[in-house]
Structures are given as C-alpha cells and as structure tokens.
C-alpha cells in the first residue's frame, strides 16, 4: 500500500516538473530539428535555446511570440523598432528620389527597371508629349485633290451614300455653325472605323495564320491620326457636359453599328467611311471659309498641333484646320480604295496597303 502511494506521488512530481520546464518541437525538415526549452521564472531573452546551428522554424517563432506576449513591451524596445522602420522608409524614399533624373521623369519601380528614355526636340528642349513620339510626326500633304468624289453606282454604294447624308441632317440641326464643336464630335466618330477594321483584320490574321498585307497597320494608323485630330480640337474647343454626354451615346451606338456592318460586308463598311470623310472635307471647308471671313477668330495653333504636324511656331487655327482637312482627304482615298478591292472579289491582303498615307 505504501509502495503504491509512493509511486503515484512520484509520477505526479515528474509529470508536473516536465510540463512546467520543457517544451520541444520539430521544424518542417527532419534534418533541422530544433528543441526549444523554457525554464519557468527566467526572463524572455533567455527563454529560447537553439540546439542546432540553423534558424528557428515556425514552431520556435510561435513560441517566442507567445513567451514575449506575456510581458508588456518596454518603451525602449518600442522606440527602437519604430526607429528601425523609420530608417528603412527613409532609405527607400531617398533611393526613389535618386532614381529620378529630371523634373518631368516619373520614378519607377527598381524591381522592373522600366523608364522612358530621355527624348528631346531638335532645339534640345525636352519632348513634352506622351501621346505621340517625334518619329510619329509628319508634314501633311496639302497638294491632295479635295474635290474627288466616288459616284455611287451599285446598290451598296447608294445605301452607303444616303446613309451618310441622312446622318448629316441631325448633326447640322444640333451644331449649326459651331464648327469647332462639330469637328470634335466628328472626330470621336471618325476614330472608330479604323480601330474596328484593324482589330477584326488582326483577329482574322491570328485565326487563319495569314498575312494582312499591311492593312492592320494602315487602319490602326488611321484611327490614331483621327484621335490626334480629336486631341487637337479639344484644346481649341472645351466641350460642355451635354456635349460629352452626346459623345458617349454616339460613340457607343456607332461602334456597335460599324462592328456588325464590317462583319457582314467590309466593302460596304469601307464605302460608308469613304463618304463620311467626304462630308468631313466639306465641313472643314466651311470652317475655313468662316475663318477667312472673320466670323471665327484665327487664334494661335495649340502646341500639340504644332509638334504633331511640324507646323511653324506662329501657326494659327487656319493652318491646323487645313492640315486636318488634308488628312481627311487621305482617309477618304484609303477607304474607297479598300472598298474597290472588295468589289473586285479580292481580299485586302492581296493589295498592298498605303502605310504612312495620312
């Protein structure tokens, strides 16, 4: 009886001593076994003993957090951690500032190392535009024949011609002689066909593993040129809120209309654009006539137009409208040419595209 009582007392003493004095765990790799030992009553800085040369695993770090959580952090330790974090942030900010080479250069992530190369004009000044580069600028060909007109002969030609004529009626009623606002609205529509046609030809090329004959680039080039017309007109005419709302509605409707039209009949789609460009030439001619009569002030040309069309420094609104009208005449020829290719029963890639033909 006494022996049984003595054994039970000894078991309790051993189990309580072991539970209070030792805790061990194994880190994830079997070869990196770590034994963590904590003695009750000792400070937390001496509570962790690493029995191997490797760093403490997850269990050991968890034990450190648990052991330190029982003791409130001292003021010195808190300030030390905050100071280290502040030093790190200061070093990061200084490093990012050092990577900035100029006032107009944006700091980039050091991980990717992507930055815009320094581009200058011929006079050595910094190139100010992000929307186009110097090698994308050009001098407009003003010698193009503005009076060309494609006579509608076939049924599809007549459909395209009268569709454009009907679309002009609400435009004339809404804008009347506000040619700046009319031009702005016109360019938001004129920039859609080239993008739609280029996108569909691009997908066709990927789908059928065939060349495009340069037409993808030509149509996207047309869309980009029309977009630059819009950027220029926005500088000249600050659109009102209802005009911006009208642009959203018209663009949404016209994009879907032209997308379906191009899928059904590319030759009709290009013919529609050809006639739209003819109407654009007519509108810009009326715009120039009002400038010549003094009804519209011939203000200085915006800087973006001077750099894009390589105009003289003293260029005016009349010069800008003149080069835009020449661009529209080139787009007229390109789209009528594309439609004629389809009328001949050929595909666009069978005829070389006039790349660079603004």
């Amino acid at each position: 009886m006494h022996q049984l009582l003595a054994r039970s007392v000894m078991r309790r003493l051993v189990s309580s001593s072991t539970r209070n004095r030792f805790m061990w765990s194994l880190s994830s790799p079997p070869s990196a076994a770590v034994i963590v030992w904590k003695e009750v009553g000792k400070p937390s800085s001496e509570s962790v003993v690493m029995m191997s040369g490797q760093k403490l695993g997850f269990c050991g770090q968890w034990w450190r957090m648990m052991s330190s959580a029982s003791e409130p952090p001292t003021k010195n330790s808190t300030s030390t951690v905050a100071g280290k974090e502040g030093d790190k942030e200061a070093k990061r900010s200084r490093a990012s500032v050092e990577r900035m080479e100029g006032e107009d250069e944006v700091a980039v992530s050091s991980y990717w190392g992507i930055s815009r190369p320094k581009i200058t004009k011929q006079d050595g000044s910094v190139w100010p535009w992000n929307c186009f580069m110097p090698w994308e600028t050009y001098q407009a060909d003003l010698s193009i024949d503005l009076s060309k007109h494609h006579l509608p002969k076939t049924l599809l030609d007549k459909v395209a011609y009268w569709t454009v004529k009907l679309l002009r009626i609400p435009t004339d009623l809404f804008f009347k002689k506000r040619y700046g606002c009319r031009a702005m609205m016109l360019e938001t529509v004129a920039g859609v066909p080239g993008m739609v046609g280029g996108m569909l030809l691009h997908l066709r090329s990927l789908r059928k593993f065939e060349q495009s004959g340069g037409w993808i680039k030509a149509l996207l080039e047309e869309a980009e040129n029309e977009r630059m017309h819009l950027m220029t007109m926005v500088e000249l005419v600050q659109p009102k809120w209802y005009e911006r709302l009208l642009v959203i509605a018209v663009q949404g409707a016209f994009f879907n209309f032209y997308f379906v039209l191009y899928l059904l009949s590319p030759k009709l789609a290009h013919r529609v654009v050809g006639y739209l460009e003819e109407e654009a030439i007519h509108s810009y001619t009326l715009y120039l006539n009002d400038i010549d009569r003094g009804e519209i002030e011939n203000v200085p040309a915006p800087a973006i137009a001077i750099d894009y069309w390589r105009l003289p420094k003293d260029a005016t609104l009349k010069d800008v409208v003149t080069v835009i009208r020449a661009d529209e005449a080139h787009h007229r020829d390109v789209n009528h040419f594309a439609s004629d290719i389809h009328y001949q029963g050929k595909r666009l890639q069978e005829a070389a595209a006039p790349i660079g033909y603004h």
Side-chain angles (χ1 to χ4, degrees):
M1 183 70 181
H2 293 289
Q3 290 180 354
L4 292 174
L5 181 61
R7 286 178 185 176
S8 63
V9 171
M10 289 297 294
R11 285 196 195 100
R12 290 182 182 180
L13 290 175
V14 171
S15 61
S16 63
S17 175
T18 305
R19 186 166 55 248
N20 291 332
R21 295 178 62 87
F22 295 103
M23 179 177 180
W24 64 274
S25 64
L26 292 176
S27 59
S28 53
S31 60
V34 177
I35 298 177
V36 181
W37 174 73
K38 182 176 186 299
E39 185 173 351
V40 178
K42 288 207 173 183
S44 60
S45 60
E46 300 177 3
S47 63
V48 179
V49 177
M50 298 183 64
M51 303 302 291
S52 69
Q54 300 188 8
K55 290 184 178 180
L56 188 63
F58 170 76
C59 296
Q61 292 193 17
W62 175 84
W63 179 253
R64 280 205 301 269
M65 289 189 295
M66 294 299 294
S67 63
S68 60
S70 61
E71 300 178 6
T74 61
K75 184 177 181 180
N76 292 334
S77 61
T78 306
S79 61
T80 302
V81 173
K84 289 181 179 179
E85 293 296 329
D87 292 341
K88 290 180 181 179
E89 292 297 329
K91 288 180 181 179
R92 291 195 195 102
S93 62
R94 282 197 298 269
S96 62
V97 170
E98 289 173 359
R99 284 194 296 268
M100 298 177 64
E101 296 180 356
E103 294 180 357
D104 59 339
E105 186 174 354
V106 180
V108 297
S109 170
S110 60
Y111 180 81
W112 298 109
I114 299 174
S115 62
R116 176 184 172 182
K118 188 175 182 180
I119 303 173
T120 58
K121 297 183 181 181
Q122 292 182 351
D123 58 3
S125 59
V126 178
W127 182 257
W129 311 108
N130 292 326
C131 53
F132 66 98
M133 295 293 105
W135 50 86
E136 296 171 339
T137 64
Y138 65 99
Q139 290 180 328
D141 180 15
L142 302 181
S143 64
I144 189 169
D145 187 1
L146 300 174
S147 61
K148 278 185 180 179
H149 170 63
H150 183 276
L151 292 174
K153 299 177 182 179
T154 66
L155 176 62
L156 287 181
D157 283 355
K158 292 178 181 179
V159 170
Y161 179 77
W162 288 110
T163 298
V164 173
K165 287 295 185 182
L166 290 175
L167 289 175
R168 186 182 178 91
I169 295 175
T171 305
D172 290 339
L173 293 176
F174 184 80
F175 291 105
K176 297 181 180 178
K177 299 193 72 173
R178 293 183 298 148
Y179 293 111
C181 297
R182 177 199 291 262
M184 181 199 64
M185 174 62 67
L186 178 67
E187 299 302 343
T188 62
V189 173
V192 171
M195 180 59 65
V196 171
M199 176 187 67
L200 291 177
L201 290 178
H202 175 74
L203 295 177
R204 179 188 178 92
S205 177
L206 297 178
R207 194 169 60 248
K208 296 194 172 184
F209 314 110
E210 61 185 18
Q211 299 291 338
S212 68
W215 279 98
I216 297 175
K217 185 175 179 62
L219 293 178
L220 294 180
E221 188 179 72
E222 175 188 317
E224 174 65 12
N225 183 245
E226 296 285 9
R227 190 184 68 84
M228 289 305 301
H229 293 177
L230 175 62
M231 295 298 102
T232 301
M233 298 311 301
V234 169
E235 292 289 329
L236 294 167
V237 181
Q238 298 298 325
K240 300 179 177 60
W241 68 268
Y242 57 86
E243 292 172 338
R244 291 177 179 269
L245 188 62
L246 181 62
V247 166
I248 295 174
V250 172
Q251 188 186 82
F254 185 75
F255 176 87
N256 290 283
F257 162 76
Y258 193 80
F259 180 82
V260 174
L261 181 63
Y262 203 97
L263 289 175
L264 297 176
S265 177
K267 60 183 176 183
L268 176 59
H270 282 292
R271 192 67 81 197
V272 167
V273 178
Y275 286 129
L276 279 174
E277 300 296 354
E278 290 184 13
E279 293 299 326
I281 295 170
H282 178 66
S283 296
Y284 281 116
T285 300
L286 296 177
Y287 198 174
L288 287 172
N289 291 340
D290 281 3
I291 294 175
D292 290 336
R293 287 194 296 265
E295 297 180 10
I296 298 177
E297 184 181 0
N298 192 20
V299 297
I304 190 172
I306 293 174
D307 287 336
Y308 183 71
W309 283 283
R310 301 177 190 170
L311 298 174
K313 298 295 183 182
D314 58 347
T316 61
L317 173 61
K318 181 178 180 179
D319 299 320
V320 175
V321 176
T322 301
V323 294
I324 292 178
R325 184 178 63 173
D327 288 347
E328 305 294 2
H330 286 85
H331 300 328
R332 170 203 63 191
D333 294 347
V334 170
N335 282 276
H336 280 314
F337 174 50
S339 184
D340 289 342
I341 294 173
H342 284 290
Y343 268 104
Q344 294 171 10
K346 299 179 180 180
R347 295 182 300 173
L348 288 182
Q349 58 263 39
E350 297 179 41
I355 299 175
Y357 189 71
H358 285 287

